[in-house]
Amino acid sequence: MTSLRDLEDCFEGVIPSIIATAAADGTPNISYLSHVVMVDDEHVGISNQFFAKTAANIRANPQASLLLVSARHGGQFRLDLSWVSSRDEGALFDRMSGQLRASSAQVGMAGVMRLRAIEFFRVDAISAVASPFDEADAGAGPPMPDLMALGRAIKAIGAQGDTGAVIGAVLDGCAALGFANAILLLADGSRRLLTTVASRGYDRSGVGSQVPFGDGLIGTAATSKQTVKVSDMSRVRRLGAAIEATTSADENRTRTIVLPGLPDALSQMAIPLLAQGAVRGVLFVESRQRLAFGLAHETALEALAGQCALALGELPAPEMRATAQASAPAQPAGRVIQVVHHHFDDSVFIDNAYVIKGVAGRLLAFMLEVYVREGRCDFTNREIRLAPALRLPEIKDNLETRLLLLRRRLDEKNLPVRLVHPGRGQVRLALDGVPMVSKAG
C-alpha cells in the first residue's frame, strides 16, 4: 500500500502538481500548483497564492483530487482529498513562505508571488496512475548519506579549538558526505550580511563575497532560520547579483568579490547555522544533478550545520596579551609595495589590485600603517580590539573571524602582504617588500 512517505520525490516542486475541484453546482476547475508539502502521514498542505476559484470551490465542496508526479521516474499518483482548514501563520507557513520568496526572486518576481495561506487537506486515498513507463528503468536516486561519515565529521568539528579549524572540519565533512560543492558564510548580525569565509569545489574561493540577509536562497535561510532548497534550477534563474555575476567581473572597478557558484547547477540547498536561536551563518551546497538532495541529505547537513554553530559559539576566548609585543620586521630589499586605503568604504588596494573593504579593510590598513610608523609586525587581538582608529562595534564582534577572512583573502590573491597566525590571539604581518601606504577619499 502506497503511503505519503513513499512519494518524497513528488514534493520537491520539480514537476507541477494539479488539483481538481468542483463548485457547489458541479462545475469542475483545474489548477496547477507551485508547492505541495507533506504535513504528516495523513495530511498535505497546498500553497494558496492565486487560486481564488479553487479556494472558493473547496469551501463549498471540500472534496478534491490531486495529481502528483515523481520527478525521478515520472510515476503519477492520484490523491483523494478532503479539505480541513486554511492557515496563514505558523512554522510550516513561515517555511513555505520563505521557500516561495527565494524561488520567486530567482525569476524576477520577488514580492509578487506572495503566499496568502496554506490549505490543509486530509488524504483519504492514494492510487497509482497506470503508465506504460517502467519505473525500474529510471535508476536509483542519489546515494544516502553515510551515517558513519556524519558521525566522524561531527566529532571532528567539536574537537577543534579555533575558528579556522572548525570551518575546515565542516567542509571536510561536506566532502565526506558527498557534497562536492560547498560554501560556508558567517553572519554579521549588526550589518545583516553574510560573508564567505571558505568554499570547496570551485575554481575560486570567493572568500570575502557577501550576501545580504533575505537575498536569495542563502539570505532567505538566514532570515527564516529554515533550510531552503531548490531541486531543479532549470525552472528558475540563479538568484542574487553576486551569484549571477560572472567570473570575469572586474573587482578593481566594482570592489565586489563574486560569490562562487556552478553556472549549470540544478540542485541547491542553504542551511542556517543555528545556536540558541541565533543565526551564526549559512552552509550552502549545490550540484549539477537534478534532485540531488533528498530529505536524508537535508537532515545530515542540518546536523553538520548545527554542530558547526555550537562549536563556533563555544570556542574559548583567545589568550590575549595586555600589550603588543614589539618585533624586528624582516627587511626585504628593493621591492616597494603600493598600498592605497580609501576612507569612504575602507577598501584597500595593493599594487593596484582590489583586496577587501569594510571592517576587514580597516584592519589591514591599520596594521600596515603601524608597520610603516613603528616597524612592528606582531599584533594582539586585544590591541586591535582597543584601537580607537578601527571603530569596532561595542557589541561582541567576532574579530577572529574577520582576521581569518582577511588572511584567506590575501592568500587567495597571492599578494606580497600576508597574515600569519603565530598563536592564539596573535596575528603577524608577513611582507615581501616595503609597504608605502597612501590614503584616498
Side-chain angles (χ1 to χ4, degrees), residues 309-328:
L310 289 173
L312 291 173
E314 294 176 359
L315 288 174
E319 299 170 1
M320 299 180 293
R321 302 174 188 176
T323 58
Q325 182 183 45
S327 59

Side-chain angles (χ1 to χ4, degrees), residues 163 167 184-188 193-197 213 273 280-282 308 312 398 401 404:
T163 302
I167 292 169
L184 187 63
L185 305 95
L186 295 185
D188 183 340
L193 282 175
L194 296 148
T195 303
T196 301
V197 293
F213 275 43
L273 275 57
R280 299 191 181 277
V282 171
C308 174
L312 291 173
N398 197 338
T401 299
L404 172 67

Side-chain angles (χ1 to χ4, degrees), residues 7 47 86 108 140 161 166 187 209 229 331 374 382:
L7 308 182
S47 63
S86 179
V166 168
S209 55
K229 179 173 65 174
Q331 296 293 338
E374 303 176 13
R382 178 179 177 83

Side-chain angles (χ1 to χ4, degrees), residues 422-435:
R424 184 176 296 278
Q426 303 172 54
V427 61
R428 176 177 298 156
L429 275 174
L431 303 169
D432 185 18
V434 179

